[in-house]
């Protein structure tokens, strides 16, 4: 007799594996579709994610949080405008251990792969299988989303992100740094390798027309440009990884759940980048995806015993909850990107004035910081 599953997860990336572990913890049997086959993450992968407190708690709950050398605590975030405006966020002010943790992607993928390998209720398969619920975690280029006839509303930003890694003359002091420049570019240095590290993950969002120049130039010219934009804040820089790139966009699926085509007793739901994508300037993309699967797992665990995991009412509850959570963050990220992408002098002055005002705003600034950190508002006494 063929094995049956409660849930089929299409996509064995970070979001998909996290969901598999959360569902298995609730005693649901899971088929995790890894169509590419299991393989060790590449050591040349230059990606790193800023993970907030909420995401860390979820990953720790499924025993998949990386070791300290692969998850560097950010004690402070410094954001610099193009005309002297600046904003600083500090973990101490929020009475928190860290603002976020910069997590090395290959290390996180290895921990998740190990955890799913030893979870008996998770079976890694090569092809999708029938199940009452199929969850699509295939990323923004999801084939399943297209297969289900779901429209993906995409707004291109006219920017491309270039990612790489640098060795710095000075230690990063566990500070994440970000610079907005007059041409609309955004440069971020994210601290790596623990407390005393002097390497950073780089995400440089630049207009499309500049991409070929900075991908094809030699290392010396590329590093010199980053040195200029970063105002030599970490001293002399050395390129220690290849350059990767991808176009930036804001996007959201028009539907996040529905009935499987031709199978009324089976349902599907979207999660992670298959459902949405936002600009990386606040580093919230993966946190939102982890939030998706945490909410879905919670809703399924709280269902009445007679409800199927593919019950349409449950899935619509998940869709409403996550769309509501995404709306303010997505709107804010889009507004900031649009504001800093405009080169007009009046707008340059306005946004830097706004940054200086926000820096002095007290409770507003604290509220924004705690939202990004995944923290609840402080309790009033």
């Amino acid at each position: 007799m063929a094995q049956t599953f409660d849930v089929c997860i299409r996509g064995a990336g970070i979001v998909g594996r996290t969901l598999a572990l959360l569902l298995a913890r609730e005693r649901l049997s899971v088929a995790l579709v890894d169509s590419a086959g299991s393989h060790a993450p590449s050591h040349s992968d230059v990606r790193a994610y800023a993970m907030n407190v909420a995401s860390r708690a979820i990953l720790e709950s499924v025993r998949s949080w990386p070791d300290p050398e692969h998850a560097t605590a950010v004690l402070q975030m410094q954001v610099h405008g193009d005309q002297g405006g600046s904003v600083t966020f500090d973990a101490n002010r929020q009475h928190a251990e860290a603002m976020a943790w910069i997590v090395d992607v290959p290390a996180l993928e290895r921990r998740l792969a190990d955890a799913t390998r030893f979870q008996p209720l998770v079976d890694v398969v090569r092809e999708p299988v029938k199940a009452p619920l199929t969850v699509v975690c295939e990323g923004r280029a999801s084939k399943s989303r297209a297969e289900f006839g779901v429209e993906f509303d995409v707004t291109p930003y006219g920017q491309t992100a270039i990612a790489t890694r640098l060795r710095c003359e000075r230690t990063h002091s566990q500070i994440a740094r970000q610079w907005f420049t007059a041409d609309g570019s955004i440069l971020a240095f994210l601290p790596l390798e623990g407390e005393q590290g002097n390497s950073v993950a780089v995400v440089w969002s630049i207009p499309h027309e500049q991409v070929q120049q900075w991908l094809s130039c030699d290392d010396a010219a590329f590093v010199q440009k980053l040195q200029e934009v970063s105002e030599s804040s970490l001293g002399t820089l050395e390129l220690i990884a290849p350059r990767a790139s991808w176009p930036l966009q804001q996007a959201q699926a028009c539907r996040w759940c529905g009935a499987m085509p031709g199978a009324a007793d089976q349902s599907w739901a979207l999660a992670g980048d298959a459902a949405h994508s936002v600009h990386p300037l606040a580093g919230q993309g993966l946190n939102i995806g982890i939030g998706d699967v945490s909410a879905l797992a919670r809703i399924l665990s709280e269902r009445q015993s007679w409800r199927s995991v593919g019950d349409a009412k449950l899935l619509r509850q998940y869709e409403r909850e996550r769309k509501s959570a995404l709306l303010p963050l997505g709107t804010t990220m889009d507004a900031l990107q649009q504001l800093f992408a405009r080169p007009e002098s009046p707008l340059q002055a306005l946004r830097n004035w706004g940054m200086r005002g926000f820096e002095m705003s007290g409770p507003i600034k604290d509220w924004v910081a705690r939202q990004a950190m995944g923290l609840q508002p402080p309790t009033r006494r």
Side-chain angles (χ1 to χ4, degrees), residues 86-261:
S86 65
V87 176
T88 299
F89 297 98
D90 195 293
N92 284 335
R93 181 176 173 84
Q94 305 306 325
H95 307 287
E97 179 184 355
M99 296 293 302
W101 287 262
I102 306 304
V103 175
D104 187 62
V105 170
L108 176 55
E109 289 177 336
R110 285 192 292 270
R111 291 300 296 268
L112 285 165
D114 289 343
T116 52
R117 187 179 304 115
F118 291 106
Q119 171 50 260
L121 288 175
V122 177
D123 281 68
V124 179
V125 299
R126 296 298 294 272
E127 299 292 337
V129 301
K130 291 183 179 179
L133 174 61
T134 291
V135 185
V136 178
C137 303
E138 295 172 331
R140 66 180 182 179
S142 170
K143 294 181 179 179
S144 296
R145 186 185 59 225
E147 174 190 329
F148 299 155
V150 180
E151 295 182 10
F152 198 50
D153 185 13
V154 177
T155 303
Y157 279 125
Q159 287 186 322
T160 293
I162 297 179
T164 188
R165 295 195 177 184
L166 298 171
R167 183 82 62 202
C168 309
E169 180 183 5
R170 303 175 191 143
T171 59
H172 49 59
S173 302
Q174 296 179 264
I175 298 173
R177 297 167 170 86
Q178 192 171 53
W179 295 267
F180 290 85
T181 61
D183 67 355
S185 301
I186 305 168
L187 175 64
F189 282 2
L190 309 176
L192 296 172
E193 298 181 347
E195 296 180 8
Q196 303 302 319
N198 67 333
S199 66
V200 295
V202 176
V203 182
W204 189 24
S205 303
I206 60 176
H208 285 327
E209 57 269 20
Q210 299 181 20
V211 173
Q212 193 54 44
Q213 172 189 355
W214 297 114
L215 285 179
S216 61
C217 70
D218 61 36
D219 290 354
F222 181 76
V223 170
Q224 178 59 35
K225 180 62 176 179
L226 298 186
Q227 191 104 31
E228 293 172 4
V229 176
S230 66
E231 302 168 342
S232 298
S233 59
L234 293 178
T236 303
L237 307 176
E238 175 191 358
L239 196 67
I240 58 172
R243 287 164 256 179
S245 66
W246 60 91
L248 298 180
Q249 62 184 33
Q250 183 184 51
Q252 186 171 162
C254 62
R255 293 181 293 138
W256 289 25
C257 62
M260 290 285 282

Side-chain angles (χ1 to χ4, degrees), residues 310-328:
D311 186 282
K313 181 178 179 181
L314 297 177
L315 299 182
R316 285 195 295 269
Q317 177 187 345
Y318 158 72
E319 179 178 16
R320 288 193 302 270
E321 181 176 318
R322 293 310 296 161
K323 280 187 174 180
S324 295
L326 177 64
L327 180 61

Side-chain angles (χ1 to χ4, degrees), residues 328-366:
L329 182 61
T331 301
T332 301
M333 293 306 97
D334 183 60
L336 284 173
Q337 192 280 332
Q338 297 294 342
L339 177 62
F340 278 90
R342 301 289 294 275
E344 294 89 345
S345 295
L347 282 177
Q348 289 182 10
L350 175 64
R351 64 200 180 209
N352 282 274
W353 173 82
M355 290 181 76
R356 286 187 286 269
F358 180 75
E359 173 68 1
M360 303 295 291
S361 64
I364 296 175
K365 178 183 168 184
D366 290 341

